[in-house]
Amino acid sequence: MELDDHAEELASDLGVDKEEVKSDLQNLVEYSVPVDEAKQSLRRKYGDGSSSGGGTPSAKNVADITPEDGSVTVTGTVLTAGERSIRYQGSDHVIVEGQIADETGRIDYTAWEDFGLEPGDTITAGNAGVREWDGEPELNVGESTALSFESDSLEVPYGIGGEAELADLEAGDRARTLEVAVLDCERRTIDGRDGETEILSGVLGDESGRLPFTNWDPVPEIEEGASVRIENAYVQEFRGVPEVNVSEFSRVTHLDREIDVGSDATTMDVGEAVRTGGIYDVELVGNAIAIRDGSGLIQRCPECYRVIQKGQCRTHGDVDGIDDLRVKAILDDGTGTVTAVLGDELTEDVYGGDLEDALEAAREAMDQEVVADEIRENVVGREYRVRGHLSVDEYGANLDAETFEESDDDPAARATAFLEEVDA
Ligand SMILES: [Zn+2]
């Protein structure tokens, strides 16, 4: 049967205008809905309950959808729609993810077919599946969903297009639009799922903060010092902090304006910071109460760069280690503790010498622990202001330090400020 005949049949069964039915039918078929399924959903749409078999899911407001709903019919405006490639049962599949909203609320969705959704479209999704994700309902729009585009748009109290600032981003966010400065960018080769691939990784900044990013399909617009607009970025957690992912489906364009990047990191209590589960850029102040083992002069595996003991790498066995300097200092501010990890340059500062000096001292003493001892003497008992990237995982709370400076707060001034606070 031709589409025209299907439309004729439907129109006479349902007693509605043939041209109207035909245009709906065409829409659905264009979006790859099989014709029988399309006819079923139009029967439902035009109110022929008799042939719908299992019954039409009830129309619901977004705010009323719960994970217990098996499927729903919902009308809403598309706020965001971002393509992403996933590997499903061994093959790559392009899905569209985002949020839709009505007057009552908004909800995440995943579209498993290409329905051609664009931000700003108002749609009715008939028989959309509901699944639970992190305790919240999410819509699954797929083969069995009858999707139609409405000509009347809804007034929704949300921004359309997914514009966001870095500080607002959370792991799980999809189809975000950002205007950011590329603060740091390096090209790396990784062992991806399809063998070796080149990626870009680094740090993005805007007025609200800074976050790390990965560009899985390197574009020339992303380079150190550039200001860019990134459309359709998604956010995943990496080492305890949100990371901006720029994929082959993202659109990156140059901005001809400078992005002001806030220079202040959030200052927090140690305990408060650790409870967040990880922050990319944070400043903590605490007393250095101890220097941990594995500080001072250390050796790294030439293959994996992990710290080795007595020339033995856990993965690569007997190796010729590379000498390096590092400090793991435990900081305590009374609310909690964190291990500040200092790289070679910051370690040189607190040691008061470079790698050559450290090697010389170790040779003289015939013990490389003298380097850690020296650092311990210089650091323990003093208060430090440290800024960097905090990760919290099974290895504890570690702060990858970018700066590590003795706190210049005058204890007497702080005591006075404290007393004033108590008096007030
Ligand atoms: Zn190794």
Side-chain angles (χ1 to χ4, degrees):
M1 268 208 299
E2 294 291 309
L3 207 61
D4 207 57
D5 301 323
H6 287 298
E8 181 97 61
E9 184 195 299
L10 275 174
S12 81
D13 283 0
L14 301 168
V16 292
D17 181 60
K18 183 186 150 193
E19 287 311 307
E20 198 179 338
V21 173
K22 191 179 167 188
S23 118
D24 277 348
L25 199 56
Q26 230 153 14
N27 240 336
L28 290 171
V29 172
E30 255 166 46
Y31 292 116
S32 316
V33 179
V35 75
D36 286 336
E37 213 165 297
K39 281 166 75 181
Q40 281 296 329
S41 60
L42 288 179
R43 283 182 195 280
R44 288 196 291 273
K45 177 180 171 182
Y46 289 102
D48 177 21
S50 62
S51 57
S52 65
T56 320
S58 51
K60 280 207 160 185
N61 286 329
V62 168
D64 299 332
I65 299 172
T66 73
E68 283 72 44
D69 290 316
S71 64
V72 292
T73 291
V74 61
T75 297
T77 295
V78 178
L79 299 179
T80 52
E83 287 182 304
R84 194 160 72 93
S85 171
I86 59 162
R87 185 152 286 192
Y88 180 67
Q89 293 181 342
S91 60
D92 291 327
H93 197 80
V94 176
I95 59 172
V96 176
E97 297 171 315
Q99 285 190 320
I100 68 166
D102 65 8
E103 295 90 336
T104 68
R106 51 186 163 175
I107 188 168
D108 289 336
Y109 72 86
T110 301
W112 299 91
E113 310 269 300
D114 184 6
F115 293 103
L117 300 176
E118 296 279 353
D121 287 343
T122 296
I123 58 159
T124 294
N127 194 28
V130 181
R131 64 167 182 171
E132 182 176 334
W133 183 255
D134 245 3
E136 298 291 328
E138 260 191 32
L139 293 179
N140 260 330
V141 183
E143 253 179 13
S144 52
T145 307
L147 195 127
S148 53
F149 290 80
E150 305 291 339
S151 46
D152 296 332
S153 56
L154 294 175
E155 287 287 328
V156 296
Y158 306 101
I160 290 169
E163 305 252 354
E165 293 204 306
L166 292 174
D168 304 331
L169 296 182
E170 290 177 7
D173 283 352
R174 304 293 181 221
R176 294 290 157 199
T177 296
L178 310 167
E179 296 199 340
V180 289
V182 181
L183 303 179
D184 186 44
C185 182
E186 64 171 329
R187 190 170 281 269
R188 294 193 296 135
T189 304
I190 57 151
D191 237 348
R193 60 186 187 189
D194 295 315
E196 287 199 343
T197 10
E198 291 238 304
I199 61 166
L200 299 178
S201 63
V203 181
L204 303 175
D206 68 10
E207 224 165 90
S208 75
R210 304 191 299 161
L211 279 185
F213 76 91
T214 297
N215 179 194
W216 298 99
D217 190 32
V219 292
E221 286 79 10
I222 295 186
E223 56 180 350
E224 207 159 309
S227 296
V228 291
R229 177 181 170 88
I230 303 172
E231 292 166 59
N232 188 20
Y234 63 95
V235 184
Q236 271 181 345
E237 186 177 299
F238 181 64
R239 291 174 61 194
V241 298
E243 185 190 54
V244 176
N245 284 257
V246 184
S247 77
E248 60 189 299
F249 299 106
S250 304
R251 208 166 90 90
V252 184
T253 45
H254 259 298
L255 287 176
D256 49 14
R257 65 181 181 94
E258 292 274 312
I259 299 285
D260 283 328
V261 178
S263 56
D264 295 338
T266 317
T267 303
M268 290 177 115
D269 290 339
V270 173
E272 186 188 359
V274 170
R275 279 193 300 276
T276 65
I279 309 177
Y280 183 66
D281 190 15
V282 66
E283 187 179 75
L284 307 173
V285 179
N287 283 301
I289 57 168
I291 297 301
R292 298 178 61 166
D293 289 347
S295 293
L297 180 58
I298 55 159
Q299 283 75 39
R300 294 185 183 276
C301 169
E303 296 276 326
C304 63
Y305 214 61
R306 277 184 296 220
V307 175
I308 58 173
Q309 307 288 339
K310 299 190 169 94
Q312 289 289 316
C313 171
R314 279 191 201 175
T315 311
H316 300 98
D318 227 353
V319 292
D320 226 351
I322 306 168
D323 293 310
D324 197 10
L325 291 173
R326 175 178 80 172
V327 177
K328 291 167 83 175
I330 301 177
L331 299 185
D332 188 323
D333 72 348
T335 68
T337 62
V338 67
T339 300
V341 182
L342 280 56
D344 55 351
E345 282 175 23
L346 290 178
T347 300
E348 284 179 11
D349 292 345
V350 295
Y351 172 53
D354 61 14
L355 184 60
E356 286 311 314
D357 299 324
L359 288 166
E360 179 64 35
R363 266 194 300 272
E364 235 166 70
M366 290 191 290
D367 179 6
Q368 70 174 20
E369 281 306 308
V370 294
V371 178
D373 291 343
E374 176 78 27
I375 293 169
R376 194 169 282 120
E377 206 149 291
N378 294 344
V379 169
V380 172
R382 294 173 188 268
E383 190 184 64
Y384 288 91
R385 181 177 294 277
V386 54
R387 177 173 174 175
H389 154 209
L390 176 73
S391 59
V392 182
D393 55 24
E394 69 265 37
Y395 304 110
N398 286 293
L399 189 87
D400 221 336
E402 273 177 38
T403 62
F404 187 78
E405 283 156 7
E406 197 165 354
S407 168
D408 47 16
D409 293 351
D410 174 7
R414 245 189 308 148
T416 312
F418 177 70
L419 285 175
E420 275 168 7
E421 212 171 285
V422 172
D423 284 344

